[in-house]
mmCIF file of all heavy atoms in Angstrom:
data_model
loop_
_atom_site.group_PDB
_atom_site.id
_atom_site.type_symbol
_atom_site.label_atom_id
_atom_site.label_comp_id
_atom_site.label_asym_id
_atom_site.label_seq_id
_atom_site.Cartn_x
_atom_site.Cartn_y
_atom_site.Cartn_z
ATOM 1 N N LEU A 64 64.981 145.405 100.295
ATOM 2 C CA LEU A 64 64.519 145.757 98.950
ATOM 3 C C LEU A 64 63.749 144.567 98.394
ATOM 4 O O LEU A 64 64.059 143.418 98.716
ATOM 5 C CB LEU A 64 65.700 146.066 98.022
ATOM 6 C CG LEU A 64 66.428 147.386 98.209
ATOM 7 C CD1 LEU A 64 67.624 147.468 97.271
ATOM 8 C CD2 LEU A 64 65.508 148.568 97.998
ATOM 9 N N HIS A 65 62.771 144.863 97.570
ATOM 10 C CA HIS A 65 61.914 143.807 97.022
ATOM 11 C C HIS A 65 61.706 144.006 95.524
ATOM 12 O O HIS A 65 60.602 144.332 95.083
ATOM 13 C CB HIS A 65 60.568 143.799 97.754
ATOM 14 C CG HIS A 65 60.716 143.699 99.233
ATOM 15 N ND1 HIS A 65 60.912 142.505 99.880
ATOM 16 C CD2 HIS A 65 60.736 144.649 100.189
ATOM 17 C CE1 HIS A 65 61.034 142.728 101.171
ATOM 18 N NE2 HIS A 65 60.930 144.021 101.396
ATOM 19 N N PRO A 66 62.763 143.783 94.724
ATOM 20 C CA PRO A 66 62.593 143.960 93.285
ATOM 21 C C PRO A 66 61.683 142.881 92.698
ATOM 22 O O PRO A 66 61.633 141.759 93.214
ATOM 23 C CB PRO A 66 64.013 143.844 92.742
ATOM 24 C CG PRO A 66 64.735 143.008 93.741
ATOM 25 C CD PRO A 66 64.117 143.341 95.066
ATOM 26 N N GLU A 67 60.967 143.262 91.656
ATOM 27 C CA GLU A 67 60.192 142.287 90.907
ATOM 28 C C GLU A 67 61.164 141.479 90.051
ATOM 29 O O GLU A 67 62.335 141.843 89.926
ATOM 30 C CB GLU A 67 59.170 143.003 90.012
ATOM 31 C CG GLU A 67 58.112 143.769 90.783
ATOM 32 C CD GLU A 67 57.119 142.846 91.485
ATOM 33 O OE1 GLU A 67 56.812 141.768 90.936
ATOM 34 O OE2 GLU A 67 56.674 143.215 92.577
ATOM 35 N N ARG A 68 60.681 140.392 89.469
ATOM 36 C CA ARG A 68 61.516 139.567 88.595
ATOM 37 C C ARG A 68 60.859 139.461 87.227
ATOM 38 O O ARG A 68 59.640 139.357 87.117
ATOM 39 C CB ARG A 68 61.683 138.149 89.167
ATOM 40 C CG ARG A 68 62.382 138.062 90.492
ATOM 41 C CD ARG A 68 63.848 138.385 90.352
ATOM 42 N NE ARG A 68 64.530 138.249 91.634
ATOM 43 C CZ ARG A 68 65.710 137.681 91.768
ATOM 44 N NH1 ARG A 68 66.344 137.203 90.733
ATOM 45 N NH2 ARG A 68 66.272 137.629 92.957
ATOM 46 N N THR A 69 61.691 139.488 86.183
ATOM 47 C CA THR A 69 61.181 139.268 84.837
ATOM 48 C C THR A 69 60.967 137.770 84.653
ATOM 49 O O THR A 69 61.332 136.964 85.523
ATOM 50 C CB THR A 69 62.186 139.759 83.773
ATOM 51 O OG1 THR A 69 63.368 138.948 83.836
ATOM 52 C CG2 THR A 69 62.541 141.229 83.965
ATOM 53 N N SER A 70 60.411 137.384 83.521
ATOM 54 C CA SER A 70 60.202 135.964 83.246
ATOM 55 C C SER A 70 61.523 135.213 83.191
ATOM 56 O O SER A 70 61.563 134.008 83.413
ATOM 57 C CB SER A 70 59.438 135.785 81.935
ATOM 58 O OG SER A 70 60.163 136.375 80.873
ATOM 59 N N ARG A 71 62.611 135.912 82.932
ATOM 60 C CA ARG A 71 63.935 135.284 82.904
ATOM 61 C C ARG A 71 64.665 135.398 84.239
ATOM 62 O O ARG A 71 65.824 135.042 84.353
ATOM 63 C CB ARG A 71 64.780 135.909 81.808
ATOM 64 C CG ARG A 71 64.263 135.580 80.441
ATOM 65 C CD ARG A 71 65.197 136.103 79.416
ATOM 66 N NE ARG A 71 64.830 135.567 78.128
ATOM 67 C CZ ARG A 71 65.505 135.761 77.029
ATOM 68 N NH1 ARG A 71 66.592 136.496 77.066
ATOM 69 N NH2 ARG A 71 65.101 135.244 75.901
ATOM 70 N N GLY A 72 64.000 135.962 85.253
ATOM 71 C CA GLY A 72 64.583 136.034 86.580
ATOM 72 C C GLY A 72 65.421 137.274 86.860
ATOM 73 O O GLY A 72 66.039 137.363 87.916
ATOM 74 N N HIS A 73 65.448 138.218 85.924
ATOM 75 C CA HIS A 73 66.222 139.437 86.146
ATOM 76 C C HIS A 73 65.484 140.356 87.115
ATOM 77 O O HIS A 73 64.266 140.488 87.060
ATOM 78 C CB HIS A 73 66.460 140.188 84.822
ATOM 79 C CG HIS A 73 67.263 139.407 83.842
ATOM 80 N ND1 HIS A 73 68.628 139.291 83.932
ATOM 81 C CD2 HIS A 73 66.883 138.691 82.751
ATOM 82 C CE1 HIS A 73 69.064 138.539 82.938
ATOM 83 N NE2 HIS A 73 68.019 138.150 82.208
ATOM 84 N N ARG A 74 66.231 140.984 87.998
ATOM 85 C CA ARG A 74 65.647 141.917 88.969
ATOM 86 C C ARG A 74 65.243 143.202 88.251
ATOM 87 O O ARG A 74 66.007 143.739 87.458
ATOM 88 C CB ARG A 74 66.654 142.259 90.067
ATOM 89 C CG ARG A 74 66.969 141.112 90.981
ATOM 90 C CD ARG A 74 68.163 141.461 91.872
ATOM 91 N NE ARG A 74 68.433 140.409 92.823
ATOM 92 C CZ ARG A 74 69.155 139.324 92.562
ATOM 93 N NH1 ARG A 74 69.685 139.150 91.380
ATOM 94 N NH2 ARG A 74 69.349 138.411 93.493
ATOM 95 N N MET A 75 64.061 143.706 88.609
ATOM 96 C CA MET A 75 63.581 144.979 88.089
ATOM 97 C C MET A 75 63.118 145.814 89.277
ATOM 98 O O MET A 75 62.277 145.371 90.063
ATOM 99 C CB MET A 75 62.449 144.775 87.083
ATOM 100 C CG MET A 75 62.868 143.995 85.840
ATOM 101 S SD MET A 75 64.243 144.734 84.924
ATOM 102 C CE MET A 75 63.477 146.198 84.272
ATOM 103 N N TYR A 76 63.687 147.002 89.407
ATOM 104 C CA TYR A 76 63.430 147.870 90.550
ATOM 105 C C TYR A 76 62.459 148.986 90.169
ATOM 106 O O TYR A 76 62.452 149.460 89.035
ATOM 107 C CB TYR A 76 64.735 148.486 91.048
ATOM 108 C CG TYR A 76 65.708 147.468 91.579
ATOM 109 C CD1 TYR A 76 66.601 146.811 90.739
ATOM 110 C CD2 TYR A 76 65.727 147.146 92.929
ATOM 111 C CE1 TYR A 76 67.485 145.865 91.230
ATOM 112 C CE2 TYR A 76 66.608 146.200 93.426
ATOM 113 C CZ TYR A 76 67.482 145.566 92.565
ATOM 114 O OH TYR A 76 68.352 144.629 93.055
ATOM 115 N N ALA A 77 61.683 149.405 91.137
ATOM 116 C CA ALA A 77 60.787 150.547 90.971
ATOM 117 C C ALA A 77 61.591 151.824 91.187
ATOM 118 O O ALA A 77 62.600 151.807 91.905
ATOM 119 C CB ALA A 77 59.647 150.474 91.991
ATOM 120 N N PRO A 78 61.160 152.936 90.602
ATOM 121 C CA PRO A 78 61.846 154.212 90.857
ATOM 122 C C PRO A 78 61.918 154.548 92.352
ATOM 123 O O PRO A 78 62.874 155.176 92.798
ATOM 124 C CB PRO A 78 60.998 155.231 90.100
ATOM 125 C CG PRO A 78 60.347 154.439 89.008
ATOM 126 C CD PRO A 78 60.098 153.074 89.614
ATOM 127 N N THR A 79 60.935 154.107 93.128
ATOM 128 C CA THR A 79 60.948 154.382 94.575
ATOM 129 C C THR A 79 62.040 153.604 95.300
ATOM 130 O O THR A 79 62.345 153.912 96.453
ATOM 131 C CB THR A 79 59.581 154.043 95.207
ATOM 132 O OG1 THR A 79 59.260 152.686 94.914
ATOM 133 C CG2 THR A 79 58.492 154.973 94.700
ATOM 134 N N ASP A 80 62.622 152.600 94.631
ATOM 135 C CA ASP A 80 63.716 151.856 95.243
ATOM 136 C C ASP A 80 65.013 152.667 95.271
ATOM 137 O O ASP A 80 65.919 152.351 96.044
ATOM 138 C CB ASP A 80 63.955 150.534 94.514
ATOM 139 C CG ASP A 80 62.869 149.512 94.792
ATOM 140 O OD1 ASP A 80 62.277 149.568 95.889
ATOM 141 O OD2 ASP A 80 62.612 148.665 93.919
ATOM 142 N N ILE A 81 65.104 153.720 94.453
ATOM 143 C CA ILE A 81 66.326 154.539 94.431
ATOM 144 C C ILE A 81 66.525 155.236 95.778
ATOM 145 O O ILE A 81 67.557 155.035 96.425
ATOM 146 C CB ILE A 81 66.302 155.540 93.259
ATOM 147 C CG1 ILE A 81 66.346 154.783 91.934
ATOM 148 C CG2 ILE A 81 67.478 156.529 93.367
ATOM 149 C CD1 ILE A 81 66.073 155.644 90.719
ATOM 150 N N PRO A 82 65.560 156.048 96.248
ATOM 151 C CA PRO A 82 65.785 156.670 97.559
ATOM 152 C C PRO A 82 65.819 155.650 98.690
ATOM 153 O O PRO A 82 66.512 155.839 99.684
ATOM 154 C CB PRO A 82 64.614 157.648 97.711
ATOM 155 C CG PRO A 82 63.586 157.202 96.741
ATOM 156 C CD PRO A 82 64.325 156.511 95.636
ATOM 157 N N ARG A 83 65.110 154.546 98.529
ATOM 158 C CA ARG A 83 65.126 153.514 99.573
ATOM 159 C C ARG A 83 66.517 152.906 99.702
ATOM 160 O O ARG A 83 67.030 152.730 100.801
ATOM 161 C CB ARG A 83 64.077 152.446 99.259
ATOM 162 C CG ARG A 83 63.905 151.414 100.355
ATOM 163 C CD ARG A 83 62.844 150.386 99.966
ATOM 164 N NE ARG A 83 62.739 149.341 100.939
ATOM 165 C CZ ARG A 83 61.732 149.212 101.803
ATOM 166 N NH1 ARG A 83 60.741 150.074 101.791
ATOM 167 N NH2 ARG A 83 61.712 148.227 102.652
ATOM 168 N N ALA A 84 67.156 152.586 98.564
ATOM 169 C CA ALA A 84 68.514 152.027 98.591
ATOM 170 C C ALA A 84 69.493 153.038 99.192
ATOM 171 O O ALA A 84 70.372 152.667 99.973
ATOM 172 C CB ALA A 84 68.956 151.621 97.188
ATOM 173 N N ASN A 85 69.329 154.315 98.842
ATOM 174 C CA ASN A 85 70.185 155.350 99.419
ATOM 175 C C ASN A 85 69.972 155.461 100.921
ATOM 176 O O ASN A 85 70.927 155.631 101.682
ATOM 177 C CB ASN A 85 69.924 156.704 98.750
ATOM 178 C CG ASN A 85 70.540 156.793 97.371
ATOM 179 O OD1 ASN A 85 71.571 156.186 97.108
ATOM 180 N ND2 ASN A 85 69.906 157.531 96.494
ATOM 181 N N LEU A 86 68.736 155.361 101.351
ATOM 182 C CA LEU A 86 68.432 155.434 102.780
ATOM 183 C C LEU A 86 69.041 154.248 103.526
ATOM 184 O O LEU A 86 69.620 154.407 104.597
ATOM 185 C CB LEU A 86 66.921 155.489 103.011
ATOM 186 C CG LEU A 86 66.458 155.539 104.468
ATOM 187 C CD1 LEU A 86 67.037 156.749 105.186
ATOM 188 C CD2 LEU A 86 64.930 155.560 104.529
ATOM 189 N N ILE A 87 68.934 153.070 102.948
ATOM 190 C CA ILE A 87 69.527 151.876 103.566
ATOM 191 C C ILE A 87 71.027 152.075 103.747
ATOM 192 O O ILE A 87 71.573 151.865 104.830
ATOM 193 C CB ILE A 87 69.237 150.617 102.721
ATOM 194 C CG1 ILE A 87 67.737 150.299 102.720
ATOM 195 C CG2 ILE A 87 70.056 149.422 103.221
ATOM 196 C CD1 ILE A 87 67.317 149.315 101.643
ATOM 197 N N ARG A 88 71.682 152.498 102.689
ATOM 198 C CA ARG A 88 73.131 152.722 102.748
ATOM 199 C C ARG A 88 73.460 153.790 103.794
ATOM 200 O O ARG A 88 74.397 153.642 104.578
ATOM 201 C CB ARG A 88 73.662 153.121 101.382
ATOM 202 C CG ARG A 88 75.157 153.339 101.374
ATOM 203 C CD ARG A 88 75.703 153.594 100.016
ATOM 204 N NE ARG A 88 75.041 154.739 99.422
ATOM 205 C CZ ARG A 88 75.336 155.231 98.237
ATOM 206 N NH1 ARG A 88 76.257 154.663 97.508
ATOM 207 N NH2 ARG A 88 74.708 156.270 97.764
ATOM 208 N N PHE A 89 72.683 154.851 103.817
ATOM 209 C CA PHE A 89 72.873 155.948 104.759
ATOM 210 C C PHE A 89 72.752 155.445 106.198
ATOM 211 O O PHE A 89 73.575 155.755 107.046
ATOM 212 C CB PHE A 89 71.818 157.015 104.454
ATOM 213 C CG PHE A 89 71.961 158.292 105.212
ATOM 214 C CD1 PHE A 89 72.937 159.210 104.872
ATOM 215 C CD2 PHE A 89 71.097 158.592 106.246
ATOM 216 C CE1 PHE A 89 73.057 160.403 105.558
ATOM 217 C CE2 PHE A 89 71.207 159.781 106.936
ATOM 218 C CZ PHE A 89 72.201 160.688 106.591
ATOM 219 N N LEU A 90 71.727 154.629 106.472
ATOM 220 C CA LEU A 90 71.518 154.105 107.821
ATOM 221 C C LEU A 90 72.610 153.118 108.226
ATOM 222 O O LEU A 90 73.080 153.129 109.364
ATOM 223 C CB LEU A 90 70.139 153.451 107.929
ATOM 224 C CG LEU A 90 68.946 154.410 107.856
ATOM 225 C CD1 LEU A 90 67.640 153.641 107.750
ATOM 226 C CD2 LEU A 90 68.930 155.363 109.033
ATOM 227 N N ILE A 91 73.032 152.280 107.293
ATOM 228 C CA ILE A 91 74.104 151.319 107.588
ATOM 229 C C ILE A 91 75.397 152.064 107.898
ATOM 230 O O ILE A 91 76.095 151.735 108.849
ATOM 231 C CB ILE A 91 74.278 150.307 106.440
ATOM 232 C CG1 ILE A 91 73.096 149.323 106.442
ATOM 233 C CG2 ILE A 91 75.613 149.557 106.556
ATOM 234 C CD1 ILE A 91 73.060 148.374 105.269
ATOM 235 N N ARG A 92 75.697 153.092 107.123
ATOM 236 C CA ARG A 92 76.898 153.899 107.402
ATOM 237 C C ARG A 92 76.778 154.586 108.755
ATOM 238 O O ARG A 92 77.773 154.889 109.389
ATOM 239 C CB ARG A 92 77.110 154.930 106.310
ATOM 240 C CG ARG A 92 77.681 154.349 105.061
ATOM 241 C CD ARG A 92 78.008 155.413 104.063
ATOM 242 N NE ARG A 92 78.619 154.813 102.895
ATOM 243 C CZ ARG A 92 78.747 155.413 101.750
ATOM 244 N NH1 ARG A 92 78.320 156.649 101.593
ATOM 245 N NH2 ARG A 92 79.301 154.804 100.741
ATOM 246 N N GLY A 93 75.549 154.844 109.174
ATOM 247 C CA GLY A 93 75.317 155.452 110.477
ATOM 248 C C GLY A 93 75.391 154.465 111.620
ATOM 249 O O GLY A 93 75.228 154.836 112.774
ATOM 250 N N GLY A 94 75.598 153.176 111.312
ATOM 251 C CA GLY A 94 75.779 152.182 112.353
ATOM 252 C C GLY A 94 74.588 151.270 112.598
ATOM 253 O O GLY A 94 74.627 150.432 113.486
ATOM 254 N N PHE A 95 73.530 151.411 111.797
ATOM 255 C CA PHE A 95 72.361 150.552 111.992
ATOM 256 C C PHE A 95 72.619 149.168 111.409
ATOM 257 O O PHE A 95 73.338 149.019 110.425
ATOM 258 C CB PHE A 95 71.126 151.138 111.304
ATOM 259 C CG PHE A 95 70.519 152.286 112.042
ATOM 260 C CD1 PHE A 95 71.015 153.562 111.897
ATOM 261 C CD2 PHE A 95 69.445 152.077 112.894
ATOM 262 C CE1 PHE A 95 70.466 154.622 112.579
ATOM 263 C CE2 PHE A 95 68.885 153.135 113.578
ATOM 264 C CZ PHE A 95 69.398 154.418 113.429
ATOM 265 N N GLN A 96 72.008 148.167 112.022
ATOM 266 C CA GLN A 96 72.056 146.812 111.497
ATOM 267 C C GLN A 96 70.862 146.613 110.561
ATOM 268 O O GLN A 96 69.837 147.279 110.697
ATOM 269 C CB GLN A 96 72.003 145.811 112.637
ATOM 270 C CG GLN A 96 73.192 145.915 113.560
ATOM 271 C CD GLN A 96 73.068 144.984 114.753
ATOM 272 O OE1 GLN A 96 72.153 144.184 114.863
ATOM 273 N NE2 GLN A 96 74.011 145.091 115.665
ATOM 274 N N THR A 97 70.992 145.678 109.648
ATOM 275 C CA THR A 97 69.916 145.453 108.680
ATOM 276 C C THR A 97 68.616 145.032 109.360
ATOM 277 O O THR A 97 67.532 145.394 108.904
ATOM 278 C CB THR A 97 70.322 144.411 107.621
ATOM 279 O OG1 THR A 97 70.713 143.206 108.282
ATOM 280 C CG2 THR A 97 71.448 144.927 106.742
ATOM 281 N N THR A 98 68.712 144.303 110.466
ATOM 282 C CA THR A 98 67.485 143.900 111.167
ATOM 283 C C THR A 98 66.771 145.116 111.751
ATOM 284 O O THR A 98 65.538 145.177 111.741
ATOM 285 C CB THR A 98 67.793 142.890 112.297
ATOM 286 O OG1 THR A 98 68.804 143.432 113.147
ATOM 287 C CG2 THR A 98 68.249 141.553 111.731
ATOM 288 N N GLN A 99 67.541 146.084 112.231
ATOM 289 C CA GLN A 99 66.940 147.310 112.756
ATOM 290 C C GLN A 99 66.287 148.116 111.634
ATOM 291 O O GLN A 99 65.195 148.660 111.806
ATOM 292 C CB GLN A 99 68.000 148.175 113.452
ATOM 293 C CG GLN A 99 68.570 147.554 114.702
ATOM 294 C CD GLN A 99 69.775 148.331 115.202
ATOM 295 O OE1 GLN A 99 70.644 148.722 114.433
ATOM 296 N NE2 GLN A 99 69.819 148.563 116.509
ATOM 297 N N ILE A 100 66.952 148.174 110.491
ATOM 298 C CA ILE A 100 66.409 148.919 109.356
ATOM 299 C C ILE A 100 65.108 148.275 108.878
ATOM 300 O O ILE A 100 64.124 148.969 108.614
ATOM 301 C CB ILE A 100 67.441 149.006 108.214
ATOM 302 C CG1 ILE A 100 68.661 149.810 108.679
ATOM 303 C CG2 ILE A 100 66.823 149.637 106.965
ATOM 304 C CD1 ILE A 100 69.850 149.735 107.736
ATOM 305 N N ARG A 101 65.098 146.953 108.774
ATOM 306 C CA ARG A 101 63.876 146.260 108.341
ATOM 307 C C ARG A 101 62.739 146.520 109.322
ATOM 308 O O ARG A 101 61.603 146.783 108.922
ATOM 309 C CB ARG A 101 64.129 144.759 108.179
ATOM 310 C CG ARG A 101 62.942 144.050 107.505
ATOM 311 C CD ARG A 101 63.199 142.591 107.227
ATOM 312 N NE ARG A 101 63.414 141.865 108.463
ATOM 313 C CZ ARG A 101 64.532 141.195 108.759
ATOM 314 N NH1 ARG A 101 65.513 141.134 107.910
ATOM 315 N NH2 ARG A 101 64.643 140.561 109.906
ATOM 316 N N PHE A 102 63.033 146.477 110.601
ATOM 317 C CA PHE A 102 62.024 146.747 111.624
ATOM 318 C C PHE A 102 61.486 148.174 111.468
ATOM 319 O O PHE A 102 60.269 148.398 111.496
ATOM 320 C CB PHE A 102 62.635 146.547 113.014
ATOM 321 C CG PHE A 102 61.679 146.812 114.134
ATOM 322 C CD1 PHE A 102 60.710 145.885 114.482
ATOM 323 C CD2 PHE A 102 61.736 148.003 114.843
ATOM 324 C CE1 PHE A 102 59.820 146.131 115.521
ATOM 325 C CE2 PHE A 102 60.859 148.261 115.886
ATOM 326 C CZ PHE A 102 59.893 147.324 116.222
ATOM 327 N N LEU A 103 62.383 149.137 111.292
ATOM 328 C CA LEU A 103 61.952 150.526 111.107
ATOM 329 C C LEU A 103 61.087 150.675 109.853
ATOM 330 O O LEU A 103 60.050 151.339 109.888
ATOM 331 C CB LEU A 103 63.162 151.456 111.015
ATOM 332 C CG LEU A 103 63.903 151.717 112.310
ATOM 333 C CD1 LEU A 103 65.196 152.471 112.038
ATOM 334 C CD2 LEU A 103 63.030 152.483 113.288
ATOM 335 N N PHE A 104 61.508 150.074 108.753
ATOM 336 C CA PHE A 104 60.731 150.156 107.510
ATOM 337 C C PHE A 104 59.345 149.559 107.692
ATOM 338 O O PHE A 104 58.353 150.108 107.219
ATOM 339 C CB PHE A 104 61.452 149.451 106.360
ATOM 340 C CG PHE A 104 62.593 150.239 105.765
ATOM 341 C CD1 PHE A 104 62.946 151.493 106.229
ATOM 342 C CD2 PHE A 104 63.314 149.705 104.717
ATOM 343 C CE1 PHE A 104 63.998 152.209 105.660
ATOM 344 C CE2 PHE A 104 64.362 150.410 104.131
ATOM 345 C CZ PHE A 104 64.703 151.653 104.604
ATOM 346 N N ASP A 105 59.274 148.405 108.359
ATOM 347 C CA ASP A 105 57.974 147.772 108.592
ATOM 348 C C ASP A 105 57.074 148.664 109.434
ATOM 349 O O ASP A 105 55.881 148.805 109.162
ATOM 350 C CB ASP A 105 58.143 146.402 109.259
ATOM 351 C CG ASP A 105 58.729 145.358 108.330
ATOM 352 O OD1 ASP A 105 58.742 145.580 107.100
ATOM 353 O OD2 ASP A 105 59.190 144.320 108.845
ATOM 354 N N CYS A 106 57.648 149.267 110.465
ATOM 355 C CA CYS A 106 56.858 150.165 111.324
ATOM 356 C C CYS A 106 56.365 151.383 110.539
ATOM 357 O O CYS A 106 55.205 151.778 110.657
ATOM 358 C CB CYS A 106 57.682 150.616 112.521
ATOM 359 S SG CYS A 106 57.951 149.305 113.724
ATOM 360 N N ILE A 107 57.236 151.963 109.744
ATOM 361 C CA ILE A 107 56.848 153.134 108.961
ATOM 362 C C ILE A 107 55.780 152.768 107.942
ATOM 363 O O ILE A 107 54.796 153.489 107.778
ATOM 364 C CB ILE A 107 58.081 153.758 108.284
ATOM 365 C CG1 ILE A 107 58.989 154.361 109.353
ATOM 366 C CG2 ILE A 107 57.666 154.822 107.274
ATOM 367 C CD1 ILE A 107 60.368 154.745 108.850
ATOM 368 N N ALA A 108 55.959 151.642 107.260
ATOM 369 C CA ALA A 108 55.003 151.219 106.241
ATOM 370 C C ALA A 108 53.616 150.974 106.827
ATOM 371 O O ALA A 108 52.603 151.195 106.172
ATOM 372 C CB ALA A 108 55.504 149.952 105.542
ATOM 373 N N HIS A 109 53.572 150.536 108.081
ATOM 374 C CA HIS A 109 52.294 150.237 108.730
ATOM 375 C C HIS A 109 51.864 151.339 109.703
ATOM 376 O O HIS A 109 50.958 151.136 110.508
ATOM 377 C CB HIS A 109 52.381 148.889 109.460
ATOM 378 C CG HIS A 109 52.576 147.746 108.517
ATOM 379 N ND1 HIS A 109 53.819 147.209 108.265
ATOM 380 C CD2 HIS A 109 51.709 147.065 107.744
ATOM 381 C CE1 HIS A 109 53.696 146.230 107.374
ATOM 382 N NE2 HIS A 109 52.432 146.120 107.043
ATOM 383 N N HIS A 110 52.551 152.497 109.621
ATOM 384 C CA HIS A 110 52.218 153.659 110.459
ATOM 385 C C HIS A 110 52.216 153.314 111.949
ATOM 386 O O HIS A 110 51.313 153.694 112.684
ATOM 387 C CB HIS A 110 50.874 154.267 110.042
ATOM 388 C CG HIS A 110 50.817 154.612 108.593
ATOM 389 N ND1 HIS A 110 51.441 155.721 108.083
ATOM 390 C CD2 HIS A 110 50.249 153.978 107.540
ATOM 391 C CE1 HIS A 110 51.236 155.765 106.772
ATOM 392 N NE2 HIS A 110 50.528 154.720 106.418
#
Side-chain angles (χ1 to χ4, degrees):
L64 286 176
H65 306 278
E67 295 289 326
R68 297 290 182 137
T69 66
S70 59
R71 292 186 169 185
H73 297 282
R74 291 169 176 84
M75 297 303 291
Y76 296 87
T79 56
D80 287 331
I81 294 169
R83 186 180 175 106
N85 284 329
L86 179 59
I87 294 165
R88 181 174 57 178
F89 187 76
L90 291 171
I91 287 173
R92 283 186 177 164
F95 284 83
Q96 297 175 5
T97 56
T98 53
Q99 294 170 316
I100 296 169
R101 190 175 62 240
F102 180 77
L103 287 171
F104 283 0
D105 289 345
C106 288
I107 292 168
H109 295 98
H110 306 284

